[in-house]
Amino acid sequence: MIGGLFVYNHKGEVLISRVYRDDIGRNAVDAFRVNVIHARQQVRSPVTNIARTSFFHIKRANIWMAAVTKQNVNAAMVFEFMLKVIDVMQSYFGKISEENIKNNFVLIYELLDEILDFGYPQNTDTGVLKTFITQQGIKSQTKEEQAQITSQVTGQIGWRREGIKYRRNELFLDVLEYVNLLMSPQGQVLSAHVAGKVVMKSYLSGMPECKFGINDKIVMEAKGKGMTTEDPARSGKPVVVIDDCQFHQCVKLSKFETEHSISFIPPDGEFELMRYRTTKDISLPFRVIPLVREVGRTKMEVKVVLKSNFKQSLLGQKIEVKIPTPLNTSGVQLICLKGKAKYKASENAIVWKCVFACFPQMKQLLKVIKFSESSAWQD
Amino acid sequence: MTDSKYFTTTKKGEIFELKSELNNDKKEKKKEAVKKVIASMTVGKDVSALFPDVVNCMQTDNLELKKLVYLYLMNYAKSQPDMAIMAVNTFVKDCEDPNPLIRALAVRTMGCIRVDKITEYLCEPLRKCLKDEDPYVRKTAAVCVAKLYDINSSMVEDQGFLDQLKDLLSDSNPMVVANAVAALSEINESSSSGSPLVEMTPQTVNKLLTALNECTEWGQVFILDSLANYSPRDEREAQSTCERITPRLAHANAAVVLSAVKVLMKFMEMLPSDSEFVTSLTKKLAPPLVTLLSSEPEVQYVALRNINLIVQKRPDILKHEMKVFFVKYNDPIYVKLEKLDIMIRLASQANVAQVLSELKEYATEVDVDFVRKAVRAIGRCAIKVEQSAERCVSTLLDLIQTKVNYVVQEAIVVIKDIFRKYPNKYESIISTLCENLDTLDEPEARASMIWIIGEYAERIDNADELLESFLEGFADENSQVQLQLLTAIVKLFLKRPSDTQELVQQVLSLATQDSDNPDLRDRGFIYWRLLSTDPAAAKEVVLAEKPLISEETDLLEPTLLDELICHISSLASVYHKPPSAFVEGRSGIRKSLPASARAGSEGVESTESQAAPAVIPAQDSLIGDLLSMDIGGPTVAPVAAAPAAPFGSAAMDLLGGGLDTLLGETSSSPAPPSALPASSAALLGDIFGAPAASATYVAPKTTWLPAEKGKGLDISGSFVRRNGQLFMDLTFSNKAMQPMLGFAIQFNKNSFGITPASPLQVQSPLPPGVAADASLPLATTGPVQKMEPLTTLQVAVKNNVDVMYFACQIPMHALFVEDGQMDKRVFLATWKEIPAQNEVQYTITNVMHSADSNFTDTVVSRMQQNNVFTIAKRNVEGQDMLYQSLKLTNGIWVLNELKIQPGNPNITLSLKSRTPNVAEGVFQAYDNILHG
């Protein structure tokens, strides 16, 4: 299991170092700094083996986090755990930054002690953790409170504490969809899928059992044995065809498997109830048509046309188009017909922001002329 | 005020200052000071000098302060064991605290302090905590048992903690169950005996499956991972377990999903592959795997590495999902490279057009490694899907036109492979390739290009000029290029002998005289000799038709793949290496997939696996014995080549002797019998040997070394006597993915002094999937060491992969020598001389044809064929009495008396010998001969 967990700043200085197992020594901290952080190349793998010691590392903002082990651990679990640690830290003190980590290092140690024991992840639910680990130090607890805490940390419903009361019981539901599209240069759609998630904010009293359904019926493609004979789209009722979905741990998976009903006792506050993926009938909100022309050896002309594809009544807001540029771009000339465009050298991209008015089939144009330094081109 | 200030103290005399602050009376000050100490510890400063002062702060009601002190203790206790003892009292007291959080904290911390004296004190509190009323304490204590096992395994076993841990598996709290499972799995993995200390029963599995629905995501991972180590008893159990695990595939945590996939993949092996259940399960596996690709890049990477394995094991699962593996421009490079790998694996005739157009795009990317891999992938596509070969080649040509150095080099390397796969089809492009000769600067590309020139020398007008240009810098080339250049020029010479004589002489002298690379020199000498003795033979050898290369060159070896499937989601599956390759010190239990329930060979397999332990001694002792032997190479060779010239003589002379045998083999001129494969040797025996010899009982070949133990090499064999010579007949089957070569064999000292009489002659290299027979003549003059059982022979076989050890039994009858006929009188005298306690009796049951009237004669002749000679025959009261003698290779005489009753299928055998422990083997031999 995980032998140690280290957090570094971008320079490689240690901010947090917690060793869980005897086979990991202090030299592991330095080995990672020298071989990964100070290595002058891009990360080629998120798992690095240095002298029979494996380092799992992720970098968020300017912070490196590395989990170290000498054993054959469950790699997916280590990464999921590290992402969870980041989640937990964010919910305690906001953005992950060197400043914030230094300011809260005692808290982080306390958390790490609680959520990882001998390298085995324990309950990592922030809702529960917050009941007994706080930034303000520990409140003295009564015996009942203590018992309540422990039963909750270990309980069947580890994500919700008992005795929550609201005067108004409210439940909010957001459905967020990410349309992923891969298009060939010729404009042919190679693959498209929608990754959606259902985010819920619950302010409910007690231990409410909730049920949730999509059109009251989910047709899982994988399960549809009768699918071939009866096309769900033709059967009259509109049905959401979902390729696959994944649920928050509060959802009773066995019940979903047998009855296709999503039933759960929600955690208090905001959480991601489910994620789903569909590939059928995706109508693209936009079409992006790029035209690239190389003008001489050091110059390139890019023309981007954006076409809206949605109903008149809708308004596309906060639209951002990113056009990646080569690393050796020396200068950019922009002609923008609508919205604002800017070359951001730090991101190696041109960012074009615009708002779509309600015109249907509206076209917008951005013309970019890029200059590259001739010396940067290797002949 | 925030905590970051603690990081900034870098004054001199800091330790001293901290010391006084730690001893301050004010609690707040104390806490501040401890925080500073922890901050210093974090950045790597040595603050161990403050040990007593920090420990003094331990007795406090403030939980936050306590936690900090504990943190300090865990770090420094080992360096100050005597001081650490001061903390014991507080720990023991805390374990009794009314607050469960403090009890758990104490037991958790205590387990992390690796000081013997503290460990002693840990036992009692731990025992109590394992039975604590609060689940939070119990779940912490469960993990603590694993900690203690890591420090002192015998203490855990002696104190009965294992049983207590086992009891926790039936705890009412799912989290306690999960932690207990995790602890038990770890203890099982690291157990010194190599076998699990705690076996899982169907009852515990059932409990775990129930807890699975209720515990945290991490607990689910622990449970699933431990279920993966369980082997269901039968098909039904496997299927019902699968059914209960399938819902986990919809969990949001990728680790839960992958661990569930692992269990399903493993248990599916047990189910008949054509069943409806397996088909529907295969369908259910695809969507969650695809969904994993929408997670964070690091998780994606782990998922992709695992998908790579799954696709190799069960290509059906993802065969329609090609598109999801298309690379996104903003994927991190490691994700891109893995996706590319999987795309190739999924490429088929149906989707090759799409794949190819993608690959073409990738070849114009920025990242050099990625581009190279993409170019290689195009080549692999061509080899895998024949219909696409033409498009692939034209794509590669387009890429060569880009003149981007590394693209061109990579393209040339793969084009070489395409030539090997489709000979005489695309050679028209050679001229284009030749244009790029100057830009090649990597050894592999240069070597490939040289190979192409040599192979197609007759179609390239200026081949000699091209090769000559390479020759100028011969000494500076990489050895790979040098070897290739040597071969290419020899090929050129054989094709165009008239105008290239000078060139070939030049390269031969460069290779043999100016190089100190033995490979190159040897190859040079061989070519030289070959060309000077028999150019016709040289042509046959050097220009021989090459076998086509196989489609998938980079598949994992099946045995390794099966092992890795059992490690899905773990680090092993990320590295694609077995855990033993990167985990230190632990013997570990090798995991393998369960045998398919319906496989026809099941019966055979199970009997084999049962029989194996009886025959093969414990692996350790075997290796110990064999390690004392020198396995540097074919050690028998020096004996055979003993008459070779002394070392001082000219190199050419040395070669003269060696080369003849070499030629003998390749041109199949009459060679010594030992060099012939077994089949023809047996044939010779049949033709020339005494007619009786053909009736010699030969035990069927048995598997001595199964492929899974022999790293893909499977050895079966038997012992036979042909024409008074003992032979070991072996069949080598290569079940690995790469060709094997460099075979050598050695025996450990054994009861009969058996040693190989000549080096092992096996077809080498042995291509994958091919089995070759070999017959090894044996001498009986080697060193003797008594084995138990007597007929055991421990064998080491070496090849380019590894050294493999196995043990086999020599059937005693193979050791009966031809001159085993004893004079009648001597027999009588000896029979009397040998004391009665040396007489052993045995009954041979159910002998066939015993009803025949001339049955006794059949026995006589049968035994005679196997060198058991009948000295006398008497008929006493209707019973036939046969007196037989035989002699073993080591000169031991065995005298037998056979009692045959007509019509009775049982024969009584009395045996007398001065060394009665051979009796067992002789009885066995009689049994085999008379039944065979």
Side-chain angles (χ1 to χ4, degrees):
Chain A
M1 283 301 118
I2 300 172
L5 200 74
F6 307 132
V7 179
Y8 304 81
N9 64 11
H10 68 287
K11 282 183 268 177
E13 291 163 358
V14 189
L15 302 179
I16 297 288
S17 112
R18 176 73 162 91
V19 174
Y20 291 92
R21 294 215 169 204
D22 197 45
D23 53 2
I24 301 300
R26 181 82 202 175
N27 50 0
V29 181
D30 302 322
F32 182 75
R33 174 181 30 240
V34 172
N35 288 292
V36 180
I37 300 181
H38 290 171
R40 291 189 183 278
Q41 61 175 65
Q42 211 185 351
V43 171
R44 308 299 293 191
S45 159
V47 186
T48 310
N49 194 323
I50 306 164
R52 287 174 92 84
T53 309
S54 301
F55 294 82
F56 297 79
H57 43 93
I58 54 181
K59 194 183 176 191
R60 293 294 181 269
N62 269 328
I63 298 297
W64 289 85
M65 185 187 280
V68 194
T69 184
K70 284 204 167 187
Q71 292 168 324
N72 183 28
V73 298
N74 188 324
M77 186 181 79
V78 175
F79 278 128
E80 283 282 355
F81 174 75
M82 286 163 80
L83 295 168
K84 196 80 194 186
V85 171
I86 290 177
D87 268 1
V88 171
M89 293 203 289
Q90 270 169 343
S91 82
Y92 266 96
F93 50 77
K95 222 177 96 208
I96 300 289
S97 66
E98 184 175 349
E99 182 77 17
N100 275 343
I101 288 175
K102 277 186 171 172
N103 280 339
N104 294 287
F105 83 96
V106 174
L107 170 75
I108 294 174
Y109 275 125
E110 214 176 307
L111 284 169
L112 288 180
D113 196 45
E114 188 57 44
I115 58 179
L116 199 60
D117 189 6
F118 201 43
Y120 290 105
Q122 304 295 309
N123 198 332
T124 48
D125 195 89
T126 35
V128 174
L129 287 172
K130 278 185 176 166
T131 59
F132 67 108
I133 297 178
T134 59
Q135 273 162 300
Q136 288 79 41
I138 281 118
K139 297 170 276 178
S140 59
Q141 296 137 334
T142 63
K143 218 177 161 191
E144 291 77 54
E145 275 171 345
Q146 289 161 6
Q148 207 192 331
I149 288 167
T150 58
S151 81
Q152 218 175 89
V153 175
T154 59
Q156 280 190 21
I157 302 159
W159 53 86
R160 187 182 179 91
R161 66 194 158 85
E162 269 174 71
I164 300 173
K165 276 206 182 84
Y166 286 102
R167 251 202 295 167
R168 262 169 71 188
N169 283 312
E170 287 175 310
L171 193 74
F172 300 94
L173 210 97
D174 283 332
V175 180
L176 307 173
E177 290 202 332
Y178 301 86
V179 183
N180 289 294
L181 173 75
L182 201 61
M183 223 161 63
S184 73
Q186 289 75 37
Q188 184 195 0
V189 175
L190 293 174
S191 77
H193 73 268
V194 171
K197 56 182 179 183
V198 178
V199 180
M200 201 173 250
K201 261 185 202 165
S202 82
Y203 304 105
L204 300 172
S205 311
M207 282 288 182
E209 182 150 355
C210 307
K211 254 190 175 181
F212 176 79
I214 304 171
N215 283 4
D216 225 70
K217 191 186 194 181
I218 292 182
V219 181
M220 289 280 284
E221 205 185 20
K223 294 201 193 73
K225 256 187 240 159
M227 282 279 287
T228 43
T229 49
E230 187 197 1
D231 193 338
R234 259 186 292 151
S235 63
K237 278 186 211 160
V239 179
V240 184
V241 182
I242 285 178
D243 285 24
D244 184 36
C245 45
Q246 290 183 314
F247 298 102
H248 185 267
Q249 57 167 323
C250 66
V251 177
K252 290 177 184 141
L253 292 177
S254 39
K255 217 164 184 177
F256 176 71
E257 179 84 2
T258 50
E259 297 164 28
H260 283 210
S261 71
I262 305 169
S263 77
F264 56 98
I265 297 170
D268 199 36
E270 188 174 334
F271 71 104
E272 192 183 297
L273 177 69
M274 73 177 279
R275 266 183 267 166
Y276 60 88
R277 190 168 51 82
T278 79
T279 46
K280 295 269 153 61
D281 306 323
I282 295 170
S283 60
L284 300 167
F286 297 103
R287 276 192 83 81
V288 183
I289 304 155
L291 298 161
V292 183
R293 203 160 62 94
E294 277 182 56
V295 193
R297 291 189 68 82
T298 61
K299 206 168 155 187
M300 198 159 68
E301 207 183 274
V302 182
K303 207 193 257 176
V304 182
V305 180
L306 196 59
K307 264 187 180 174
S308 66
N309 222 355
F310 43 79
K311 275 186 222 151
Q312 287 186 31
S313 52
L314 296 172
L315 183 68
Q317 273 180 317
K318 287 187 186 167
I319 294 162
E320 208 180 280
V321 180
K322 261 191 194 177
I323 304 152
T325 56
L327 291 172
N328 51 6
T329 306
S330 64
V332 174
Q333 256 185 24
L334 294 162
I335 302 168
C336 185
L337 298 183
K338 189 114 198 220
K340 275 180 192 166
K342 213 178 162 189
Y343 169 60
K344 288 189 178 167
S346 60
E347 292 175 38
N348 285 315
I350 298 160
V351 180
W352 175 29
K353 286 180 185 166
C354 53
V355 175
F356 255 102
C358 51
F359 289 107
Q361 301 296 318
M362 165 87 178
K363 275 188 204 176
Q364 306 224 345
L365 264 176
L366 172 79
K367 200 169 173 187
V368 185
I369 304 166
K370 280 191 279 192
F371 289 99
S372 297
E373 233 168 66
S374 59
S375 64
W377 288 83
Q378 283 178 347
D379 290 344
Chain B
M1 268 215 291
T2 55
D3 287 344
S4 58
K5 63 176 186 283
Y6 303 114
F7 279 90
T8 52
T9 49
T10 45
K11 287 171 285 176
K12 266 189 183 172
E14 184 193 351
I15 297 275
F16 184 76
E17 208 169 279
L18 279 173
K19 209 180 181 84
S20 70
E21 280 178 38
L22 283 170
N23 290 319
N24 199 302
D25 287 337
K26 278 189 193 147
K27 269 189 185 165
E28 265 316 298
K29 276 266 178 196
K30 259 189 190 174
K31 206 159 106 185
E32 297 283 288
V34 176
K35 280 188 184 178
K36 276 184 201 164
V37 172
I38 300 291
S40 306
M41 193 174 86
T42 300
V43 295
K45 279 182 209 153
D46 184 17
V47 283
S48 59
L50 295 167
F51 200 90
D53 308 284
V54 177
V55 172
N56 272 339
C57 304
M58 193 169 158
Q59 273 173 326
T60 168
D61 306 330
N62 188 322
L63 198 56
E64 192 183 8
L65 180 58
K66 191 169 241 159
K67 283 183 178 175
L68 289 172
V69 175
Y70 280 177
L71 188 62
Y72 179 90
L73 264 175
M74 283 186 266
N75 259 305
Y76 286 111
K78 225 164 105 184
S79 58
Q80 310 248 351
D82 296 331
M83 296 282 221
I85 226 54
M86 288 161 46
V88 164
N89 260 333
T90 322
F91 276 129
V92 175
K93 218 174 81 199
D94 278 359
C95 286
E96 307 269 330
D97 198 279
N99 184 344
L101 291 171
I102 291 183
R103 289 203 296 275
L105 179 66
V107 79
R108 183 163 69 209
T109 313
M110 233 171 145
C112 293
I113 296 177
R114 305 173 68 93
V115 174
D116 284 345
K117 283 178 198 152
I118 291 201
T119 316
E120 282 168 33
Y121 286 100
L122 175 62
C123 286
E124 273 321 301
L126 178 58
R127 202 186 312 280
K128 262 186 216 156
C129 288
L130 280 167
K131 287 191 188 130
D132 200 285
E133 53 169 18
D134 196 298
Y136 183 78
V137 181
R138 288 202 300 276
K139 71 126 187 160
T140 312
V143 175
C144 190
V145 176
K147 291 178 188 170
L148 187 60
Y149 192 87
D150 193 39
I151 302 170
N152 190 340
S153 58
S154 57
M155 187 187 275
V156 171
E157 283 165 39
D158 297 344
Q159 300 271 337
F161 284 131
L162 284 181
D163 291 325
Q164 273 193 292
L165 201 53
K166 249 190 280 181
D167 292 342
L168 288 187
L169 288 181
S170 358
D171 199 280
S172 57
N173 186 297
M175 195 144 169
V176 178
V177 178
N179 275 4
V181 165
L184 274 176
S185 304
E186 175 160 347
I187 289 170
N188 272 346
E189 292 261 322
S190 60
S191 82
S192 46
S193 62
S195 62
L197 291 167
V198 183
E199 290 281 0
M200 276 221 261
T201 61
Q203 286 77 29
T204 43
V205 169
N206 201 19
K207 277 176 205 151
L208 294 183
L209 285 170
T210 315
L212 187 62
N213 291 324
E214 290 162 357
C215 59
T216 64
E217 43 196 332
W218 314 116
Q220 297 186 17
V221 176
F222 305 154
I223 291 178
L224 288 168
D225 279 354
S226 77
L227 281 178
N229 292 332
Y230 172 73
S231 307
R233 289 158 306 170
D234 51 37
E235 238 172 82
R236 239 189 48 222
E237 194 187 356
Q239 179 166 341
S240 71
T241 315
C242 284
E243 276 164 1
R244 293 177 70 175
I245 287 171
T246 322
R248 297 297 119 197
L249 293 175
H251 202 285
N253 188 319
V256 177
V257 176
L258 273 175
S259 290
V261 170
K262 162 164 60 186
V263 182
L264 294 174
M265 285 290 284
K266 197 177 164 186
F267 288 8
M268 245 154 85
E269 285 296 303
M270 291 186 64
L271 303 170
S273 54
D274 51 350
S275 71
E276 203 174 301
F277 181 74
V278 170
T279 328
S280 81
L281 198 55
T282 319
K283 264 193 201 150
K284 279 184 198 166
L285 277 173
L289 286 174
V290 173
T291 303
L292 289 179
L293 299 182
S294 325
S295 35
E296 295 283 322
E298 291 85 6
V299 178
Q300 272 188 60
Y301 174 74
V302 175
L304 285 165
R305 292 293 281 175
N306 281 293
I307 289 172
N308 198 330
L309 296 174
I310 293 167
V311 165
Q312 288 185 55
K313 183 74 193 167
R314 290 184 182 270
D316 283 353
I317 294 181
L318 289 164
K319 68 179 172 198
H320 300 303
E321 305 286 353
M322 167 63 97
K323 283 181 174 177
V324 300
F325 297 103
F326 285 175
V327 169
K328 291 188 201 151
Y329 83 98
N330 55 353
D331 278 334
I333 183 67
Y334 47 82
V335 170
K336 284 185 179 172
L337 290 171
E338 290 310 315
K339 280 187 173 173
L340 191 52
D341 239 359
I342 295 168
M343 276 171 69
I344 290 303
R345 295 210 192 286
L346 292 176
S348 67
Q349 202 181 329
N351 55 24
V352 75
Q354 270 182 331
V355 175
L356 213 58
S357 66
E358 277 294 296
L359 291 176
K360 210 171 159 182
E361 284 298 314
Y362 302 164
T364 60
E365 273 263 7
V366 245
D367 190 279
V368 177
D369 281 348
F370 184 59
V371 171
R372 283 171 180 277
K373 202 163 183 173
V375 176
R376 260 179 209 238
I378 296 173
R380 274 166 62 187
C381 251
I383 290 165
K384 198 174 168 190
V385 187
E386 192 169 349
Q387 291 80 357
S388 73
E390 199 155 336
R391 288 193 53 194
C392 293
V393 170
S394 75
T395 309
L396 286 170
L397 278 180
D398 288 351
L399 290 173
I400 288 176
Q401 302 301 348
T402 62
K403 303 276 178 199
V404 177
N405 187 295
Y406 52 84
V407 175
V408 174
Q409 312 216 31
E410 212 58 43
I412 285 180
V413 173
V414 295
I415 285 178
K416 174 205 68 184
D417 288 340
I418 295 176
F419 282 171
R420 284 290 305 275
K421 173 80 182 177
Y422 309 109
N424 305 318
K425 219 168 163 189
Y426 301 111
E427 280 75 11
S428 53
I429 63 171
I430 288 174
S431 59
T432 324
L433 303 184
C434 289
E435 286 163 21
N436 293 288
L437 216 54
D438 306 332
T439 58
L440 308 181
D441 53 9
E442 287 161 27
E444 203 182 351
R446 282 173 87 86
S448 301
M449 194 60 220
I450 293 170
W451 180 87
I452 292 173
I453 298 174
E455 189 67 18
Y456 301 100
E458 69 273 21
R459 308 184 192 199
I460 307 168
D461 294 335
N462 59 344
D464 49 342
E465 284 167 37
L466 294 175
L467 291 175
E468 199 171 358
S469 68
F470 279 106
L471 206 54
E472 278 157 21
F474 189 78
D476 303 327
E477 294 283 5
N478 180 291
S479 63
Q480 188 188 3
V481 182
Q482 289 178 333
L483 284 167
Q484 224 31 270
L485 193 53
L486 173 62
T487 307
I489 291 180
V490 171
K491 280 182 190 164
L492 174 70
F493 171 70
L494 289 167
K495 287 173 178 172
R496 283 161 46 182
S498 50
D499 53 343
T500 53
Q501 202 153 6
E502 204 178 313
L503 194 61
V504 83
Q505 265 165 3
Q506 207 182 335
V507 76
L508 284 175
S509 77
L510 276 173
T512 52
Q513 284 161 23
D514 299 343
S515 167
D516 48 9
N517 177 352
D519 281 349
L520 185 64
R521 224 167 38 210
D522 282 359
R523 199 187 280 192
F525 276 128
I526 290 172
Y527 282 143
W528 199 324
R529 194 72 187 167
L530 206 54
L531 292 173
S532 56
T533 23
D534 187 357
K539 214 164 186 168
E540 245 174 82
V541 173
V542 179
L543 301 181
E545 202 170 305
K546 274 157 276 297
L548 297 181
I549 54 172
S550 61
E551 286 184 3
E552 304 252 352
T553 42
D554 62 336
L555 285 179
L556 287 169
E557 210 181 281
T559 44
L560 176 61
L561 178 62
D562 283 356
E563 191 184 348
L564 291 181
I565 290 286
C566 301
H567 287 289
I568 283 179
S569 175
S570 80
L571 206 43
S573 71
V574 174
Y575 291 146
H576 287 187
K577 284 177 190 163
S580 54
F582 58 91
V583 177
E584 259 167 35
R586 304 216 163 157
S587 56
I589 303 152
R590 250 189 100 158
K591 294 180 184 175
S592 57
L593 287 177
S596 163
R598 217 178 262 184
S601 57
E602 192 203 31
V604 181
E605 268 172 19
S606 63
T607 48
E608 257 175 25
S609 58
Q610 277 161 13
V615 178
I616 299 173
Q619 195 72 12
D620 295 328
S621 68
L622 184 67
I623 289 172
D625 277 352
L626 285 162
L627 278 183
S628 56
M629 300 157 35
D630 173 26
I631 315 195
T635 35
V636 212
V639 186
F647 279 101
S649 66
M652 276 318 220
D653 279 356
L654 247 176
L655 269 172
L659 213 57
D660 285 345
T661 38
L662 250 175
L663 276 173
E665 225 182 280
T666 42
S667 63
S668 75
S669 68
S674 62
L676 281 172
S679 54
S680 56
L683 203 67
L684 280 177
D686 278 353
I687 298 167
F688 302 117
S694 61
T696 311
Y697 167 73
V698 179
K701 283 187 181 173
T702 48
T703 304
W704 287 338
L705 180 73
E708 57 267 28
K709 282 193 181 144
K711 313 230 157 119
L713 177 66
D714 180 294
I715 301 177
S716 61
S718 66
F719 290 89
V720 276
R721 246 191 132 67
R722 280 192 288 268
N723 304 330
Q725 167 78 41
L726 181 60
F727 284 96
M728 187 176 190
D729 281 353
L730 295 148
T731 305
F732 293 83
S733 332
N734 183 355
K735 300 201 169 150
M737 297 303 297
Q738 75 270 43
M740 296 180 172
L741 40 103
F743 286 98
I745 195 165
Q746 256 211 344
F747 298 164
N748 196 3
K749 283 188 229 166
N750 52 70
S751 320
F752 295 95
I754 292 174
T755 54
S758 75
L760 181 65
Q761 305 277 353
V762 197
Q763 179 192 348
S764 179
L766 185 61
V770 171
D773 287 330
S775 191
L776 182 70
L778 303 176
T780 51
T781 48
V784 174
Q785 182 191 320
K786 198 176 155 204
M787 300 299 292
E788 197 56 48
L790 216 56
T791 48
T792 305
L793 178 65
Q794 294 176 342
V795 183
V797 170
K798 194 193 90 157
N799 63 8
N800 58 328
V801 181
D802 202 353
V803 182
M804 274 77 63
Y805 304 97
F806 61 88
C808 54
Q809 297 293 321
I810 314 161
M812 194 68 105
H813 67 83
L815 301 169
F816 299 167
V817 292
E818 282 69 18
D819 59 342
Q821 180 137 30
M822 213 178 227
D823 187 79
K824 233 180 210 171
R825 272 165 303 171
V826 181
F827 185 93
L828 215 66
T830 321
W831 185 269
K832 279 182 186 157
E833 220 175 275
I834 299 174
Q837 66 261 33
N838 274 15
E839 182 170 335
V840 199
Q841 280 214 345
Y842 180 71
T843 311
I844 308 163
T845 52
N846 285 328
V847 180
M848 285 201 292
H849 311 299
S850 53
D852 290 3
S853 56
N854 55 352
F855 174 62
T856 314
D857 297 332
T858 324
V859 172
V860 171
S861 68
R862 273 245 187 129
M863 296 315 292
Q864 177 118 19
Q865 283 157 5
N866 287 290
N867 295 340
V868 180
F869 303 93
T870 309
I871 311 295
K873 185 175 149 185
R874 275 200 300 164
N875 192 303
V876 184
E877 297 159 7
Q879 292 183 1
D880 276 332
M881 305 290 279
L882 290 182
Y883 298 91
Q884 298 183 320
S885 73
L886 62 93
K887 194 171 110 180
L888 297 176
T889 48
N890 54 358
I892 292 177
W893 284 94
V894 181
L895 285 57
N896 306 311
E897 181 197 67
L898 260 69
K899 210 179 277 177
I900 305 171
Q901 278 178 316
N904 186 345
N906 296 347
I907 300 178
T908 314
L909 171 63
S910 305
L911 176 148
K912 265 191 171 182
S913 172
R914 288 184 205 279
T915 42
N917 40 7
V918 301
E920 194 67 30
V922 174
F923 290 150
Q924 195 64 49
Y926 266 87
D927 244 356
N928 288 336
I929 294 166
L930 292 176
H931 287 114

